[in-house]
Amino acid sequence: MPFNDLGRAVASERAQLEAAFARVLDSGWFVMGPEHNALEVELAAYAGVADAIAVANGTDALALALAGVGVGSGDLVATVANAGGYSSAAIRRINAQAVYVDVDPEALLLDRGALEDALETPAGRLKAVVVTHLFGQLVPMEPILEWALANDVLVIEDCAQAFGAQSEGRRAGSWGDAAAVSFYPTKNLGALGDAGAVLTSRADVAERVRRLRQYGWGAKYRIDVPGGTNSRLDELQAAVLRLRLARLDESTARRREILARYRAALGDGGVRFVGGSASDEVGHLAVLLTDDRRAVRERFDAARIGTDVHYPIPDHLQPGLGVDGVELPVTERAAERVLSVPLFPELTEAEILRVESVLRELTG
Ligand SMILES: *Cc1c(COP(=O)(O)O)cnc(C)c1O
């Protein structure tokens, strides 16, 4: 039983995918054409924002969202260090500087107290914060927005793992000055290749991001803003995403249902799942926390069930990032304790039962 199997969704959608590809082939338009334009409108409507700007991938979306709100060279940007290093890559790309903030031990999400403590640093004052909705969970946004507004800090949401998550009728990506989404194939809304989007309801930000994603052009062949790049989305990916967006709520419901079953099977013991108090999660990953990861992983190996670790090395300890003198006790401890088990909508009943049975043994 694999940790994930992207081929299953493709198999069940084969005819519709081929029809979508045929539509694109027949159109003779391959980059930023009608599928792309329709996708942008549909994404914005779904997320409840004024604008969605489709880009080449989620890391570009983060960098373009940051640049779009006005973060630039030397600016300080708060971020967590337990979310795979994407925000670190984006922050560095625009020559800004990451200020790493610890997470809370329950949900492993940005710790608001730690964020507030990071407002003034020896290097200066925070310009922005990247709020990462990790593992499908939503970070409670209202208190962060209130604090950010009072302190003139810009807010970027990273919705790569929580697209579609909602709280009181609002979706992930609709709170911040801008938000980034990834449609990497394993995400809840996945393309058949790389894709991403920036979401925003600020017209000035939307306009800047639209220019930055295509060389800084304000009009064809005329560069109006510096710092532009090529981060366009192609028609084939846009067509796939439109097809899958129409079904996202259904596949999200399935993910939530499977995760709820896992939680119930595990019961109370030394091993637990991350989060679980909020009802608004979209089940991107099912992440266990255990003091003996090696032993728990061996139980799943023995049952021939694939597992993974999200993520083994916190950003501030990545050898290639060269960060000195940062200590994040909760983040560092969690990196040694997290273990992800299979969670995707196409899991079969027999497979879910197998995972549940190992989970039951863990408690007993
Ligand atoms: C996947 C992911 C990204 C980056 O997306 P890519 O499309 O792979 O560049 C950013 N943030 C988080 C939290 C992610 O999981």
Side-chain angles (χ1 to χ4, degrees), residues 14-84:
R14 185 91 192 188
Q16 288 157 296
L17 286 169
E18 285 178 355
F21 291 159
R23 203 167 68 225
V24 173
L25 299 182
D26 290 341
S27 78
W29 199 325
F30 301 108
V31 172
M32 285 174 69
E35 298 289 336
H36 165 276
N37 297 343
L39 175 68
E40 287 193 336
V41 171
E42 290 161 11
L43 285 172
Y46 182 85
V49 294
D51 262 293
I53 302 101
V55 299
N57 59 67
T59 307
D60 278 7
L62 276 172
L64 289 165
L66 284 162
V69 300
V71 176
S73 195
D75 287 336
L76 301 179
V77 182
T79 183
V80 292
N82 70 331

